[in-house]
Amino acid sequence: MTHVIVEAAFGSTLADAVSQAVDWTDISQYAGPITITRGAESQLSETQAGTLSLPLDNSDGRFTPENSASPYYPNVVDAVPVRVSIATYTKNLIATPSFEGTPDGDLSGWEWGQAEVLVVGTPTQDGTKAARVTWDTGAPTAYFQTAVYGLTVGTRYTASVYVHVPAGDVAVQVRMGGVTSAASAVTGAYTRLSCTFTATSVVMPLQVIPASAPAAGDYVVVDAVQVEEGSSATAFDAVGAELDFRFWGLVTQWPVQWEGLLSSVNLTAVDIFAVLSRGEDSMRPMLVQECLLSRPLALWALDEPSGTSAGDEAGVGAGTLARTQSGSGGVLEFGAGTAPLGLDGAPLFTPSGTSAGKFLRGRTGPAFQDGSTGGQWAVEAWFSTSTAGRNIVTLANAELDSIMIIYLAPSTGYLTVETRHGGSPTTTTVGSVSLADGAMHHVVYSSTGQELWIDGVHAGSWMGIHQVADLGTITVGASHLGSNIWSGSISGIALYADPALWVAPLVDHYTCGTTGFAGETADVRAARILRYLGIPALTSGVFSTGIAEQAALGSTALDHLREVERTEGGVLAAEREDAVVRLSGRSVRYNPVPVLLVEWADLEPGTVVAYDLQRVVNSVVVTRPGGATQRLVNAASVAARGPIGRTVDTLATTDLTTADLGNWILQRHAAPATELRSMTVDIYTLGLAAYRDWLAADIGTPLTVTAMPAQAPAPSMGVTIEGYTETISEKRHVLECHTSPTVTATVWVLGDPAFSVLGSTTRLAY
């Protein structure tokens, strides 16, 4: 049995979906034929945003935006999360019916509330595993449940569960479809509970619940769970259902159309790549993005190229920092000073005297002002100067005489903190190295423990200095009175206030501002960029190539992820189940072992074996930041057919890496080869086992086409799926796959009987 399930999370946002805090609504009964596209055209192409096209029956207007009569009103809007999945089963619709699987058991698909759950080895009703559910004391609303997919609306089903309740413990019941079984009456042995119901949705929860308030330590052992068609429970079938997700995305439009008076909506959606590629939302420098991760209440990057004021980027109410005059003379020029890596300049303060010149002043904002009173707060700043005795940043409430100044001590240039709260100031000088040395420095001050970090190193804590509070004004480059005016550069000012503030990431900003995290591997860099958007990352493979800094960023997240992908030689793709992006390293494709076999006779007509220049590259130019631009050529191929070039811009950290990448491309693509570039197969017709295997296939899955015609170059051909278009309709599931030959991914393995044959399988991998 096969059921296609279409769900929409009306009223939920992308942020909800990322945190998996959504309530899915089944809309399968209104859905028509489904078309999904994913992946790339070839191994030389980039994966594209996945798309979903889905016609919906709109006879009652439920999918009409702004229709107040819709049961989904007012949530028929753009960006509604939507997903498509397919449930397959023989009899039992439960995916993990007896908790077998891994050595430790399998609780996937199950969830619980007001209870603790463990997989145990005894007692069991079926197999070697069962689930022991210990109820919270006095929690009659506790539950142990799983979502059952693939139900047919209007059909009668019976849910049954074997339960083992110890003597004296609370009885339990089974509940599904609004029907609750009788309470268990047997203790000390397994008994079967069941309830029969009519499905009202394609997806419904099955629950095991306590019949009354549990006492301390009460538990039940659950095993052999089954949901089946019919009005009675039959013999337990341990072969559970499988659920395969085909698409996850965000709705882009709900166009309403009519044929006569019959209304329909052709819903379209795009996967998470759409969020990564929005051109109007270019990323700020990496240092700014790193600061934003810690939720600052004020953030002034101070990287404006010109002007008289600096804007806040935290967006929670802090004001701009305006150029302010003390005395007469002096210059404050935006964009002319030295800034940390990634910021394009900083304000350069050039006073005409210690109390004559220009500085910056503004409001910290109500959020920070309130948070600085009795809470945990922090401030960080970057600076550069050759003049000691000047003020970096001042936080103050003049009415309360509550003031904190971070400055460089006269004569020594040592970092100093001065605080006052309605009395005489307390001054603490830290370190024994002058910071008035013309170099760029970073400071973090935390009110908890009154601690300081200089250039990423802890400089000490002082519990004796004043606890300042209610700090509503910030002065950059001077005191609250406009004295000790800074001479040099200041940038990257950020204010934080949060009871759960974690200071370590603020300290790590020093590494960001000085190295841009240069040298970290592609998996780490990809996860870092995705974290800026709040999107989870998954990686697969072994990553060893260092990635150069991307400190300036400045383009879309997808553009910067593409740079990482090209350097790694991997594949970036959206997941089909959740709002997750995966980077597969190049090692994933080395020496692929086919996981699918398909006979030529099972392919749809029109499949072509190609031989042409479409994927030939015999001259490649590879670049890297700050390194050589290298041109590598396969001379024999150029002599035979002329140059066919390709340019690859990378973030490699060495010239050797770029040369290796260029040679890897030439080894695989310098000459044409006979290729099976596309294939179409109706996977629904292949039987349940093969159908499930195909549903598990995705971008990067290797397979072999067997029993090819006599005119083919070989009886079988190995290919890797690069992308596909699938059309799902009644008793038909057609996959049109774009493929690449697996032979180009074979690499040399020392001493291997298959992959170390001299002159045959000696290709050195990038």
Side-chain angles (χ1 to χ4, degrees), residues 89 93 150-152 155-159 195-197 199 227-230:
Y89 62 95
L93 277 78
L151 301 166
T152 299
T155 298
R156 295 283 283 174
Y157 291 90
T158 296
C195 63
T196 299
F197 64 97
V227 172
E228 60 188 302
E229 289 190 29

Side-chain angles (χ1 to χ4, degrees), residues 621-632:
V621 175
V622 191
T623 70
R624 75 176 184 90
T629 296
Q630 301 187 69
R631 179 172 178 264
L632 300 104

Side-chain angles (χ1 to χ4, degrees), residues 209 213 351 373 398 616:
I209 57 175
T373 303
V616 171

